[in-house]
Amino acid sequence: MTNEEKIRKHVSSNMCRKVYSRSCQHCNHVLNKQLLYRLPSFLLLLISVPSYIIMPIQVMATSGNANTELPLYFGWFVETDYSSSFLNRSWKLLADTLQEIPDFLKDVQNFTQQTYVTDILLHYTRENPNEVLHCTAMYNGVYPNYVPGAQEYSEKQVVKDNLNQVSTLHSIGWILTPRTFGARIKLTKNQLLLWNQNDTEGNPTHSELKAKTSIPLITDSHNLRVYKENSTDQDPDVMGNFQPTSGNGSKAHLTLGCSPGVGAVTTGYDLVDLIRLEGINGSEVKTYDLPNGGWLRNYGDGQWVFYPTKQFLLESTFHGYESGTAGTCQLAASFSILCLSCAFAILTMFKQEL
Ligand SMILES: *[C@@H]1O[C@H](CO)[C@@H](O)[C@H](O)[C@H]1NC(C)=O
Ligand SMILES: *[C@@H]1O[C@H](CO)[C@@H](O)[C@H](O)[C@H]1NC(C)=O
Ligand SMILES: *[C@@H]1O[C@H](CO)[C@@H](O)[C@H](O)[C@H]1NC(C)=O
Ligand SMILES: *[C@@H]1O[C@H](CO)[C@@H](O)[C@H](O)[C@H]1NC(C)=O
Ligand SMILES: *[C@@H]1O[C@H](CO)[C@@H](O)[C@H](O)[C@H]1NC(C)=O
Ligand SMILES: *[C@@H]1O[C@H](CO)[C@@H](O)[C@H](O)[C@H]1NC(C)=O
């Protein structure tokens, strides 16, 4: 009998197994081995325990009180093919106008610090270039810090009735500032019923640009694949009007691009500021004819507005946008399952060893 076999025989006897006598040299040998194997599995079991305690709490918090689960925001999401073709249109309009109107080019070159039109276009990017364009109707914020009235909004009958309904967004113009490039939306009467944004909230301190953080440049963002387009003449009250929208719903917009370090939320502020300037209509405001019809106006400080003769009709669906925090629960679950299986695997290994 080898030493190993002796130990095995001794250990398999009930005495050695149950009493774990420290005085027994063989038992000590096995016990030490046992501890060595058990330590990682105990640790893993320990790690998985909190997940099992936290998970049911999380699930209860979200499903037990279903009312607290709100999307990050509600809005109109442009159908993919309309979204792509409208982006294409918008970049083309910007490129054409830069090439045709020297004053415009000079000012934009100055504030973007870019010389060439292609580089100016790349200066404005979208954070998620693969997402369709959207017009936010109501911003809720993130649980548990919802904005006041978020719960009430989601419970409104008109909101519930309009969820997943298709309607047409009317894009009646564009704005360009040192911060943002955006499309100006004129909401219909029915869309206004869903509108819940502050139409008078402009940029906090005008000249201040936020700290530069570089958003990855994705060059194919202006070149999505599928195209569908629907445009028509401007409504008579919009045509040739240098303040085509104001008041209720006038902040409605699509963010087409932001300069480096600027958040999409700024487009709405820029639009509010411009609408206020349109109302003042100072003598220093310059008007230029657009090459393909319509007007371009400069309100100073690099703030430009396009008043085209055509509007674009964008098929859209009203719904909520989830911020994607539900993933944490699943993550905790898979992590604890992983820990458990590891613990089992190690324990099984140890048993076979005996
Ligand atoms: C999209 O834009 C590119 C470049 O601006 C242009 O060549 C192309 O024809 C456009 N496609 C459509 C379908 O509008
Ligand atoms: C260029 O931009 C700076 C601010 O960035 C401004 O002070 C200056 O007046 C601008 N120059 C022209 C010619 O517009
Ligand atoms: C364009 O949009 C209008 C308004 O939604 C709709 O009535 C019309 O049928 C659309 N035309 C095409 C060609 O899609
Ligand atoms: C905006 O217009 C809609 C529809 O006419 C109306 O229900 C809503 O109360 C208005 N909101 C404000 C702030 O005036
Ligand atoms: C809208 O924003 C303005 C400026 O920040 C503020 O004075 C006003 O109280 C806000 N209105 C509402 C209804 O929150
Ligand atoms: C702005 O002023 C110009 C002349 O300076 C005038 O022709 C135009 O009608 C005015 N527009 C608005 C919206 O007041």
Side-chain angles (χ1 to χ4, degrees):
M1 224 191 259
T2 67
N3 204 31
E4 266 308 300
E5 279 167 339
K6 270 189 213 155
I7 293 170
R8 248 173 225 281
K9 202 175 168 204
H10 175 81
V11 165
S12 58
S13 73
N14 277 348
M15 190 201 81
C16 192
R17 268 203 158 179
K18 288 202 174 133
V19 179
Y20 295 123
S21 158
R22 279 273 163 203
S23 59
C24 162
Q25 198 202 341
H26 294 155
C27 278
N28 260 339
H29 178 83
V30 172
L31 273 170
N32 289 342
K33 227 172 157 184
Q34 203 169 345
L35 274 176
L36 206 73
Y37 278 112
R38 279 197 176 165
L39 197 67
S41 45
F42 278 148
L43 276 177
L44 283 166
L45 273 171
L46 223 70
I47 290 168
S48 64
V49 163
S51 312
Y52 279 102
I53 295 168
I54 293 163
M55 249 194 328
I57 294 172
Q58 277 186 340
V59 170
M60 264 165 60
T62 49
S63 69
N65 191 357
N67 291 342
T68 59
E69 184 77 72
L70 294 178
L72 185 60
Y73 57 84
F74 287 100
W76 295 274
F77 292 78
V78 181
E79 306 289 335
T80 313
D81 28 11
Y82 287 93
S83 182
S84 309
S85 92
F86 185 68
L87 274 166
N88 195 303
R89 273 278 172 190
S90 303
W91 290 111
K92 188 160 173 9
L93 164 109
L94 183 55
D96 290 350
T97 314
L98 285 165
Q99 271 148 358
E100 299 269 345
I101 300 173
D103 281 358
F104 181 50
L105 179 62
K106 249 184 255 158
D107 192 42
V108 178
Q109 279 174 329
N110 187 24
F111 67 66
T112 58
Q113 295 292 301
Q114 301 292 343
T115 307
Y116 300 105
V117 170
T118 46
D119 293 331
I120 291 171
L121 300 186
L122 291 173
H123 183 73
Y124 294 89
T125 56
R126 292 207 298 145
E127 226 167 310
N128 300 306
N130 296 321
E131 285 184 358
V132 295
L133 296 171
H134 74 270
C135 174
T136 305
M138 167 69 182
Y139 179 77
N140 293 322
V142 180
Y143 176 83
N145 303 312
Y146 292 139
V147 304
Q151 203 66 57
E152 291 81 352
Y153 177 90
S154 70
E155 283 161 13
K156 275 185 176 174
Q157 197 55 43
V158 67
V159 171
K160 288 181 185 166
D161 290 347
N162 276 281
L163 277 181
N164 302 315
Q165 296 299 305
V166 174
S167 69
T168 302
L169 285 177
H170 298 248
S171 171
I172 58 158
W174 291 270
I175 64 165
L176 184 87
T177 75
R179 298 162 294 280
T180 61
F181 180 41
R184 183 167 181 170
I185 300 296
K186 186 173 189 237
L187 297 174
T188 63
K189 276 206 178 79
N190 282 338
Q191 287 164 345
L192 274 174
L193 298 175
L194 300 163
W195 180 251
N196 200 335
Q197 294 253 49
N198 187 338
D199 292 302
T200 59
E201 191 182 12
N203 282 299
T205 47
H206 198 83
S207 53
E208 224 172 88
L209 254 172
K210 277 184 210 128
K212 302 240 174 196
T213 60
S214 63
I215 292 168
L217 199 70
I218 294 155
T219 46
D220 67 356
S221 62
H222 310 163
N223 254 327
L224 303 172
R225 257 163 229 99
V226 208
Y227 296 101
K228 224 185 238 178
E229 194 171 286
N230 187 358
S231 66
T232 184
D233 291 339
Q234 295 280 24
D235 298 336
D237 60 329
V238 169
M239 184 65 193
N241 184 346
F242 290 140
Q243 195 184 44
T245 51
S246 60
N248 199 357
S250 60
K251 195 184 180 180
H253 66 272
L254 306 169
T255 296
L256 305 172
C258 295
S259 60
V262 173
V265 68
T266 308
T267 317
Y269 299 149
D270 281 349
L271 178 55
V272 168
D273 286 345
L274 272 161
I275 291 168
R276 188 165 50 232
L277 292 166
E278 285 174 346
I280 298 165
N281 193 20
S283 56
E284 72 281 6
V285 180
K286 272 198 173 164
T287 309
Y288 305 81
D289 289 333
L290 283 171
N292 295 317
W295 301 271
L296 175 71
R297 284 196 127 197
N298 179 14
Y299 287 91
D301 292 329
Q303 300 170 98
W304 295 83
V305 186
F306 304 73
Y307 306 88
T309 53
K310 285 206 178 292
Q311 58 174 284
F312 288 83
L313 307 175
L314 309 171
E315 219 171 82
S316 309
T317 308
F318 182 79
H319 61 81
Y321 180 90
E322 308 293 340
S323 56
T325 47
T328 36
C329 203
Q330 283 164 5
L331 214 68
S334 34
F335 180 64
S336 50
I337 285 166
L338 188 77
C339 287
L340 263 188
S341 5
C342 281
F344 265 108
I346 292 167
L347 281 172
T348 316
M349 254 165 58
F350 173 70
K351 280 220 162 141
Q352 276 170 354
E353 195 75 10
L354 286 178

